[in-house]
Amino acid sequence: MVWKLPEGDEELLALAKGYPYEAPEASYLYRDGEVRGIGGADFRGRTPVIGHGSNRAPSQIRRKYGHLSGRASEIPVTLAWLRDYDIVYSAHVTRYGAIASTLQHAPGCRVRIAVTWLDDEQLAYMHRTEGFYSYGSLRGAEIELEAGPSGALAEAFVYRGDHGCILKEGKPIGLAAASGEGRPHPLMTQDAILAEVHRRYGDGSPLESGILATIRDPERRRAVLEAMGREALHEDWPHFRQSLVGGD
């Protein structure tokens, strides 16, 4: 994680509770912190990387790439549909206190994702921001683009949560903020999953105090992660081929 966190309680809580953040309902071009039409995007020399959580949101892209300007800051973001996977909560509390997303193989399900098209420099920087994820290709999965250089992708790249996914009553928990069809998992909002995690793994303090503790106290966060990991579901994705292991 290389971008700086805010210092105030209100700003930190908003960052934790706002995940996965507001995003446009149409494909777009990010440039200089702004959302522009996708029509002017140049996809040449770029790697398609799936965004299943916050990386689809302009505000998160701005936090990560706000130091870039002009053409160097351009990132095309095309919406797409991914078949046979659902977007669920990872057994992972981020450094900014949110419960992050991951994918879960779910035959018959179809979810709406974003594809961020990153140049080599942007991709190298993205690797540095993605803690507790492994990076690799999703090859042979059905990915239908709503915009971009082609109607479908035979291969895209993705960050897979290393901690598995959190369970409730034996089932993964889907992100209520994600759109999809035939989703087999119960859905929860970020507010609800934060309350669930801190009820199960917290120290009994009020919710907002617990969230701030996982942000400001590395030992507290580590204890929560270890407890979550002992109960998480770890399953392979049939289309995933790992190429890089991440770290926080």
Side-chain angles (χ1 to χ4, degrees):
M1 184 87 57
V2 294
W3 49 276
K4 185 179 179 180
L5 296 179
E7 296 181 358
D9 288 0
E10 290 187 9
E11 293 84 358
L12 288 171
L13 289 170
L15 199 57
K17 293 181 176 183
Y19 186 97
Y21 315 116
E22 185 176 348
E25 284 298 312
S27 301
Y28 65 93
L29 174 65
Y30 171 91
R31 177 172 170 143
D32 291 328
E34 298 179 351
V35 171
R36 305 187 179 192
I38 194 66
D42 183 359
F43 295 90
R44 292 174 298 178
R46 294 180 177 272
T47 299
V49 182
I50 290 172
H52 46 69
S54 63
N55 286 339
R56 84 202 201 298
S59 61
Q60 188 75 326
I61 295 175
R62 188 180 306 116
R63 278 187 279 270
K64 295 186 177 187
Y65 294 102
H67 61 289
L68 299 178
S69 62
R71 289 189 62 84
S73 72
E74 288 188 358
I75 299 176
V77 181
T78 56
L79 300 185
W81 287 90
L82 172 62
R83 188 174 295 278
D84 294 332
Y85 287 87
D86 196 6
I87 301 172
V88 302
Y89 285 105
S90 171
H92 174 212
V93 183
T94 68
R95 197 172 68 113
Y96 47 94
I99 311 304
S101 68
T102 188
L103 296 175
Q104 174 67 21
H105 187 232
C109 178
R110 184 171 176 258
V111 287
R112 202 176 191 210
I113 58 169
V115 178
T116 56
W117 295 80
L118 306 178
D119 65 26
D120 291 346
E121 179 183 345
Q122 293 165 349
L123 181 59
Y125 194 81
M126 182 67 82
H127 290 336
R128 295 171 59 194
T129 73
E130 292 295 319
F132 291 117
Y133 284 88
S134 295
Y135 174 81
S137 64
L138 205 62
R139 187 178 305 165
E142 186 175 327
I143 305 170
E144 181 182 350
L145 295 174
E146 295 184 5
S150 64
L153 288 175
E155 180 181 39
F157 292 81
V158 66
Y159 294 95
R160 183 183 68 175
D162 290 338
H163 284 258
C165 56
I166 189 171
L167 301 177
K168 184 174 184 180
E169 298 177 355
K171 295 182 178 180
I173 304 167
L175 269 70
S179 300
E181 300 169 355
R183 300 181 71 187
H185 304 117
L187 305 180
M188 294 181 76
T189 64
Q190 180 68 202
D191 281 342
I193 194 67
L194 282 167
E196 177 76 13
V197 165
H198 287 276
R199 180 186 65 79
R200 287 162 60 176
Y201 307 111
D203 59 3
S205 60
L207 176 58
E208 292 190 347
S209 297
I211 294 171
L212 291 171
T214 60
I215 298 172
R216 291 183 168 137
D217 183 351
E219 291 302 318
R220 180 69 206 134
R221 178 169 170 247
R222 186 174 297 110
V224 172
L225 288 173
E226 289 175 354
M228 293 175 73
R230 288 192 290 269
E231 299 180 359
L233 174 67
H234 297 267
E235 287 189 351
D236 290 335
W237 301 352
H239 302 92
F240 183 72
R241 300 294 181 270
Q242 182 173 315
S243 58
L244 182 69
V245 177
D248 193 25

